[in-house]
Amino acid sequence: MNWIIRSTKKVKFHTNLQEVLKPIWEDLSAYSWILTDLDFVSNEQPIPINFDEDFFLLDHQQFEQLYKSNPQVIWGIVAAVPGNIEPDTSLISKLSAEDSPVWESNHFLIQESILEIIAFDSGYTILKFKDKKISDKFKEYFQEQAVDLQKFNKKYSNRT
């Protein structure tokens, strides 16, 4: 339930949240969102993120505003968490999309998350799911463009 997208046949660019979340957006309405270690480009203003903070905790309505603004997340970690969770903000502010555990299958940087999206240098989008139904829906939509993260690591790197 860990996928990596590096082809851009179904997405205009990495990491386009609107396109990446398209097949599962309706399944995520009950979640809040954590965003950290961000570098992004957005043509629309205002959006609920900026470069002044290390991380952002967004409710679904705030995240939907970001989702609809069509930003390109160049670097960063975006996680869906249950709305009643109070995450450890001291830990979140230290997370980085460049940390090696990002590439580990089934390793969630934010333990409370049910979905993590890691944008890696505008070239890779890693998605990790805890919910098999949502993961299967994602994979069905992206088909061969969503490559199993563990298989990708075995083929292209020393990562396991």
Side-chain angles (χ1 to χ4, degrees):
M1 295 190 314
N2 302 266
W3 309 105
I4 186 166
I5 297 174
R6 66 177 204 175
S7 166
T8 57
K9 291 178 184 174
K10 283 200 181 202
V11 295
K12 293 176 194 152
F13 50 80
H14 289 278
T15 297
N16 180 323
L17 295 175
Q18 198 170 66
E19 292 174 346
V20 168
L21 294 175
K22 180 179 181 178
I24 57 175
W25 178 246
E26 296 302 319
D27 298 297
L28 302 172
S29 63
Y31 296 95
S32 293
W33 295 83
I34 297 171
L35 298 88
T36 189
D37 189 36
L38 292 178
D39 187 7
F40 64 93
V41 177
S42 178
N43 294 329
E44 294 193 31
Q45 294 297 330
I47 58 173
I49 60 173
N50 56 53
F51 293 107
D52 297 335
E53 304 293 331
D54 291 333
F55 65 91
F56 297 89
L57 303 173
L58 305 179
D59 63 25
H60 183 74
Q61 185 177 8
Q62 292 168 315
F63 188 77
E64 185 172 27
Q65 180 186 0
L66 179 65
Y67 171 83
K68 289 180 176 179
S69 73
N70 211 24
Q72 178 179 6
V73 181
I74 298 165
W75 288 100
I77 301 163
V78 178
V81 297
N84 61 347
I85 296 293
E86 285 294 326
D88 182 348
T89 55
S90 64
L91 173 67
I92 292 168
S93 65
K94 297 175 186 172
L95 295 175
S96 172
E98 296 180 75
D99 291 339
S100 60
V102 162
W103 295 92
E104 294 175 18
S105 290
N106 299 315
H107 181 90
F108 288 81
L109 300 172
I110 300 169
Q111 294 307 308
E112 301 88 356
S113 66
I114 62 105
L115 164 63
E116 287 186 2
I117 303 166
I118 298 97
F120 193 83
D121 195 24
S122 299
Y124 297 95
T125 304
I126 300 169
L127 292 99
K128 298 178 183 182
F129 295 88
K130 288 184 180 173
D131 184 310
K132 183 173 177 4
K133 179 183 146 206
I134 298 173
S135 175
D136 289 348
K137 192 183 274 191
F138 175 85
K139 176 61 174 163
E140 182 180 322
Y141 178 79
F142 280 96
Q143 299 178 14
E144 73 281 348
Q145 291 176 57
V147 176
D148 180 272
L149 181 60
Q150 191 168 8
K151 289 179 182 175
F152 176 86
N153 286 335
K154 285 181 181 177
K155 186 172 182 177
Y156 294 105
S157 73
N158 298 350
R159 300 177 185 106
T160 56

